[in-house]
Amino acid sequence: MTEMTAGGNLALPDGELTIWVPGPFDLSVLVTGDSGKVAGDGDFVFYNQPSAPGARLEAGGVRLDPRRLRAGASRITLVVSPADAGLALGRLPVPTLTVTGPGPGTVARFTPPRPAHETVLLLAEVYRRGGGWKLRALGQGYADGLAGLARDFGVDVARETGPSAAGPVRSGPAPTGPTPSRPAPSRPVPPGPGARPGSGSGSGSARGAAASGTEAEFAALVGAERRRAGVAPVAVDGRLSAAALAHATAMARQRRLDAQGADGVSVFQRITAGGYRYLRLEQQLVSGPRGPAEFVDYCLSDPATRAPLRDPGLTEAGVGHAVDARSGAFYWTALWAGPFTLAGLAGTTAEIVALTNAERAAAGLRPLADDARLAAAAQGHCADMADRAFYAHTSPEGHRPWDRAAAAGAAHRGVGENIACGQRTAREVVRGWMDSPGHRANILAPDFTHLGTGFAGGGPAGTYWAQVFGQV
């Protein structure tokens, strides 16, 4: 292992890297080319957008695979900010970066000098040099906040003016810092006792589970636990089990737990590709247990992993496991869902409107009227982002929020939009927006009069949310 100092450089091993920064921090990632600018908003990976090609946030760190970065990417900048918005980094422990590679052991560690009044720290960067990749230790403080940093890297965080809008046209910028209730990126459940999580990305074969027997035993064990908790049993859905089996097989092939397979397909995309639609979803990715009984016992061993088994709002489930033929390690995927219904979607979007108006009422502002045309624009954009696996205010064809509102029949002279991905509930997403200055400004803008909201499940992030605001 190499102990690095500010300004130092180190050649990195080929393959996937994991970079850990434990402590009361948020880690963000900016993917850029040689110009030092992002190619689009999707190159800014943070808690409201936890993944991009080749980069995925996890609890306490980020997983990087330079081989899977978008075309033209040559630099990955790692940024640390306080998890408690408004705190200076100097009031927190000094962040320490630890890098592990595809092989055993630690590659490098870097502890920068203690920051002072800065609220953001450029901690390190991974950059292309020749045919390989290197790590540069930075430790550079930044006083203008995460939003200012994002602007300097070319992320769209400023007010936007539509081509024909007379009023203000806004889109939500990157947040300057979350609170403890911030949305968490989707991540695997850690292995239980005796688990053998693989490492690296080998391409060996995996043996699929006998789904019918596994499903039946799983359903019986879970049904008994739910009855003890006073909750109705779940219905095992074959589409969920097929997606679970496919994802467990993908994990066994790459010999690691991950919400995304080596083919770039997320567990959420496998679900929706099979024709299943959901309003809520919890996934458990586990290695180690050798049968349904051991798997359920592991899930019951901790309050966090036990929660989906007892959640009355999760009424359907699927399970699958696969075995890595090289090591004999078992890989499991369990999926717990609240299925999509039109009534459920209406309830979810109505809750977002109610929570938004509660924030406006607390600020002494009039409520926003629910607008079906703006809701159609919001819902269409959420579905489009999930279906085509992008996350941005601008669609791949260049359509902007006001374009979508006009196409839906809305005639508002001012339009704004907030988007988010990865949050699991309406309350969680509104809280995240309120903790971001730019999104909060849209919610509390006195000149907005109407609101439409949308939600879709699927895509790389699992959930996509949108608010479209209108001014008459």
Side-chain angles (χ1 to χ4, degrees), residues 291-318:
E294 285 188 28
F295 174 75
V296 172
D297 283 346
Y298 165 71
C299 292
L300 292 174
S301 66
D302 179 84
T305 56
R306 187 187 309 134
L309 279 73
R310 297 180 175 178
D311 190 330
L314 301 172
T315 59
E316 296 182 350

Side-chain angles (χ1 to χ4, degrees), residues 56-355:
R56 175 177 293 276
L57 293 182
E58 298 189 350
V62 61
R63 186 172 289 173
L64 298 178
D65 190 341
R67 301 165 300 181
R68 293 168 58 186
L69 293 172
R70 63 160 175 83
S74 59
R75 184 173 301 169
I76 307 160
T77 303
L78 305 161
V79 181
V80 171
S81 56
D84 188 351
L87 282 180
L89 285 167
R91 297 176 59 186
L92 300 175
V94 178
T96 294
L97 173 148
T98 302
V99 182
T100 58
T106 299
V107 175
R109 185 163 53 218
F110 170 54
T111 302
R114 176 176 290 279
H117 61 282
E118 296 92 342
T119 57
V120 171
L121 186 68
L122 304 185
L123 190 55
E125 63 182 12
V126 175
Y127 63 99
R128 188 192 302 272
R129 178 56 56 89
W133 291 83
K134 300 185 76 173
L135 175 71
R136 178 181 290 119
L138 297 176
Q140 176 185 342
Y142 198 95
D144 197 21
L146 200 55
L149 174 72
R151 274 195 302 272
D152 289 351
F153 275 76
V155 179
D156 182 8
V157 297
R159 284 183 174 230
E160 299 175 330
T161 303
S164 61
V169 182
R170 311 175 180 89
S171 70
T176 58
T179 65
S181 62
R182 65 193 182 280
S186 171
R187 58 182 179 272
V189 175
R196 294 177 292 175
S199 62
S201 55
S203 58
S205 63
R207 300 191 300 273
S212 57
T214 297
E215 287 176 345
E217 187 175 353
F218 172 81
L221 292 164
V222 170
E225 176 60 28
R226 287 172 73 96
R227 283 191 294 273
R228 283 191 290 270
V231 179
V234 293
V236 174
D237 188 284
R239 294 165 297 178
L240 289 175
S241 287
L245 177 58
H247 197 70
T249 301
M251 292 193 299
R253 283 175 177 159
Q254 64 187 14
R255 305 175 89 177
R256 68 170 184 266
L257 300 173
D258 199 332
Q260 181 172 299
D263 55 2
V265 179
S266 74
V267 64
F268 315 109
Q269 290 168 304
R270 298 186 202 281
I271 294 167
T272 54
Y276 190 92
R277 299 175 69 192
Y278 57 86
L279 285 172
R280 288 188 59 202
L281 186 82
E282 299 286 345
Q283 79 275 8
Q284 291 171 317
L285 312 179
V286 178
S287 67
R290 303 185 68 83
E294 285 188 28
F295 174 75
V296 172
D297 283 346
Y298 165 71
C299 292
L300 292 174
S301 66
D302 179 84
T305 56
R306 187 187 309 134
L309 279 73
R310 297 180 175 178
D311 190 330
L314 301 172
T315 59
E316 296 182 350
V319 68
H321 78 270
V323 183
D324 173 22
R326 297 154 296 182
S327 67
F330 280 61
Y331 289 81
W332 290 82
T333 300
L335 303 171
W336 310 85
F340 176 91
T341 65
L342 290 176
L345 176 63
T348 297
T349 56
E351 185 179 2
I352 295 174
V353 174
L355 290 167

